[in-house]
Amino acid sequence: MEKTWRWFGPKDPITLDMLRQIGVEGIVTALHHVPNGEVWTLEEITKMRDLIESHELRWSVVESLPVSEEIKFAGPRRDELIEKYKESLSNLGKAGVKTICYNFMPVLDWARTDLEYPNGDGTSNLYFNRAEFAYFDIHILKRTGAEKDYDAYTLDRVDELRKTMTPEGEHRLVDNIIVKTQGFVNGNISEDDTAPVETFRQLLALYDGIDKEALRANMKYWLEAIMPVCDEYDINMCVHPDDPPLQILGLPRIVTCDEDIKWFLDAVPNRHNGLTFCAGSLSAGAHNDVVDLARKYADRTHFVHLRRCQVMPNGDFKEAPHLGRGRADLVELVRIFEKSLKDRGMERKALPMRVDHAPLMLGDEKMGYNAGYSFHGRMLALGQMDGVMAVIDREIDK
Ligand code: DNO
């Protein structure tokens, strides 16, 4: 696989020159300054591509070209926004950037409650505490009927939490769940939103009456509309699984498991309609056998995120070090993807892979990086995955 790295553009303190030094081959980025729903012009795309290429790297993947909420919930501006999306796609195609990651999660791009959960060795990772998330839902968001979505054990934990929760604790939860994790991914809420909870409630209301079937129909409608452009420019679309792959906040989620993946691939049976195999997100669902999913869907996978989660008996999950304890066997996944490329007569570099979230370590915590995107932690993980790939490639080529 091609070794890529998520880079947040010219303002990223981790520079392209630094990335070349650590063996990165391709860049994963987006035009983060273009507001969600606006067209990515050929001029802006070319500027970014040329900047990357001037450092002898290539722009391998767009992560993400965001799908506007109105496309997801089928609002009145849906067709207009789809036309804009198609224009952005054809501009990317003209510039030769042909792997596009996106997600179809309503409102919330991804969810964590703790961004610096101590690992006990001086490093920290991202963490999802189910009880804290339920507390946010029930006592901060005050979503009608929220209690019904949690089991008795989690509700007991919420009651315990309530006894010790402080205003600062509540603020931290809001910040982690809907501000810090969302702002930098072109989310709906930005760091300077003065009333994020209220904005968030309004966003959730947009999905009143949209169930799983309706969201699936909207995804199919959207995919069918954009496939002709993808065919014309040979663009591979790859949806990111829902993170975590669970139903949350009463919202429908439709990329969570084997049946969901099969559904969207079959609904639009075009090889340009594919998957971002995010091992981390999939492994956060105890129902997913991640290795089995990789075997099944390797040939429709256009982009790989290597990461693994450890799921606790109480429903919490923790992001584990890449070669540490976790539910996705990353060595086996590398073997499956490398072998699939070989079996299909494809170049090893034809499939971009990036290490995903990694620990904060060795001073990362002071750098203000976007949540999950440390430098030292990711560099270590990339070195580990690079080593795994080298061994697997030798094994496969024997
Ligand atoms: C978080 C990421 C997501 C991902 C998008 C893809 O770290 O995994 O924000 O980039 O969901 O559209």
Side-chain angles (χ1 to χ4, degrees):
M1 288 180 276
E2 181 188 35
K3 287 179 282 172
T4 68
W5 181 279
R6 191 171 194 183
W7 178 68
F8 293 99
K11 290 194 191 134
D12 193 327
I14 303 165
T15 65
L16 293 172
D17 284 334
M18 288 161 75
L19 297 181
R20 273 197 65 209
Q21 292 192 28
I22 62 170
V24 168
E25 297 161 331
I27 294 299
V28 175
T29 194
L31 298 184
H32 288 283
H33 57 285
V34 180
N36 189 324
E38 297 285 309
V39 172
W40 289 17
T41 62
L42 184 54
E43 196 192 344
E44 286 294 314
I45 293 168
T46 311
K47 220 161 65 186
M48 176 62 90
R49 184 202 60 194
D50 291 351
L51 172 66
I52 294 170
E53 288 183 356
S54 71
H55 293 262
E56 289 174 40
L57 292 161
R58 86 176 184 108
W59 187 356
S60 309
V61 181
V62 170
E63 179 172 358
S64 304
L65 181 55
V67 181
S68 311
E69 296 300 331
E70 278 208 52
I71 297 180
K72 296 181 202 160
F73 69 81
R77 289 181 64 226
R78 160 161 78 166
D79 289 338
E80 181 196 324
L81 287 162
I82 291 180
E83 283 313 307
K84 289 193 173 175
Y85 201 98
K86 284 162 67 178
E87 219 176 308
S88 300
L89 281 181
S90 66
N91 289 338
L92 284 162
K94 283 178 197 140
V97 185
K98 300 187 174 192
T99 304
I100 317 294
C101 171
Y102 68 98
N103 70 71
F104 220 80
M105 286 174 257
V107 186
L108 205 60
D109 185 297
W110 57 305
R112 297 291 182 277
T113 55
D114 196 339
L115 310 183
E116 293 193 29
Y117 184 86
N119 287 323
D121 58 1
T123 67
S124 66
N125 266 92
L126 302 178
Y127 192 94
F128 181 89
N129 180 311
R130 194 166 157 74
E132 288 189 345
F133 191 78
Y135 181 97
F136 164 79
D137 192 4
I138 298 167
H139 296 298
I140 300 179
L141 200 57
K142 302 187 177 18
R143 185 172 62 86
T144 315
E147 288 88 348
K148 287 203 305 289
D149 289 353
Y150 301 96
D151 54 47
Y153 177 73
T154 304
L155 292 174
D156 282 350
R157 288 178 73 199
V158 172
D159 286 342
E160 278 307 303
L161 255 179
R162 211 168 174 201
K163 293 182 193 151
T164 53
M165 185 57 80
T166 59
E168 294 73 39
E170 291 202 348
H171 180 78
R172 182 183 59 84
L173 278 183
V174 170
D175 217 30
N176 291 349
I177 297 173
I178 60 179
V179 182
K180 285 220 181 79
T181 44
Q182 307 302 305
F184 75 92
V185 291
N186 289 26
N188 292 303
I189 291 179
S190 72
E191 296 262 350
D192 34 58
D193 205 314
T194 49
V197 176
E198 194 39 46
T199 311
F200 195 70
R201 280 195 195 106
Q202 288 164 11
L203 286 160
L204 289 183
L206 297 172
Y207 286 85
D208 279 350
I210 308 272
D211 61 7
K212 176 175 164 185
E213 289 318 309
L215 191 65
R216 277 187 166 181
N218 297 346
M219 184 178 183
K220 183 164 192 264
Y221 180 94
W222 177 75
L223 280 169
E224 281 172 346
I226 62 167
M227 279 300 122
V229 186
C230 299
D231 292 339
E232 186 179 345
Y233 293 99
D234 195 22
I235 288 177
N236 284 330
M237 296 299 298
C238 37
V239 70
H240 190 284
D242 301 342
D243 180 1
L246 310 167
Q247 308 305 319
I248 55 172
L249 306 174
L251 295 164
R253 309 258 277 182
I254 57 171
V255 192
T256 64
C257 61
D258 192 2
E259 194 237 320
D260 283 351
I261 298 173
K262 183 169 170 10
W263 175 83
F264 85 83
L265 292 176
D266 288 351
V268 180
N270 178 326
R271 73 182 173 82
H272 294 123
N273 168 30
L275 177 68
T276 294
F277 197 95
C278 179
S281 305
L282 292 167
S283 67
H287 54 279
N288 285 325
D289 177 338
V290 185
V291 167
D292 183 53
L293 293 176
R295 281 202 192 98
K296 276 191 176 142
Y297 300 113
D299 63 342
R300 291 284 285 274
T301 294
H302 301 314
F303 182 30
V304 176
H305 286 182
L306 292 179
R307 171 167 76 76
R308 63 198 325 201
C309 285
Q310 210 181 328
V311 180
M312 317 296 169
N314 62 8
D316 292 3
F317 67 85
K318 173 181 176 318
E319 296 198 2
H322 284 63
L323 292 178
R325 284 171 63 193
R327 295 196 63 254
D329 179 347
L330 298 187
V331 176
E332 192 53 29
L333 292 186
V334 168
R335 185 176 285 121
I336 291 167
F337 288 115
E338 293 287 80
K339 195 158 178 320
S340 158
L341 288 166
K342 182 168 187 197
D343 292 348
R344 287 179 291 150
M346 289 167 72
E347 284 241 354
R348 290 283 158 75
K349 305 281 178 219
L351 180 62
M353 168 287 284
R354 72 169 176 86
V355 294
D356 201 5
H357 314 147
L360 288 169
M361 55 168 63
L362 303 169
D364 282 333
E365 59 286 354
K366 297 191 202 81
M367 296 298 292
Y369 296 134
N370 291 328
Y373 295 93
S374 62
F375 181 59
H376 295 115
R378 277 193 292 165
M379 177 168 71
L380 174 62
L382 179 64
Q384 291 173 321
M385 291 301 109
D386 201 10
V388 170
M389 284 201 292
V391 174
I392 299 277
D393 286 352
R394 184 173 294 186
E395 169 191 303
I396 290 177
D397 289 336
K398 249 201 240 150

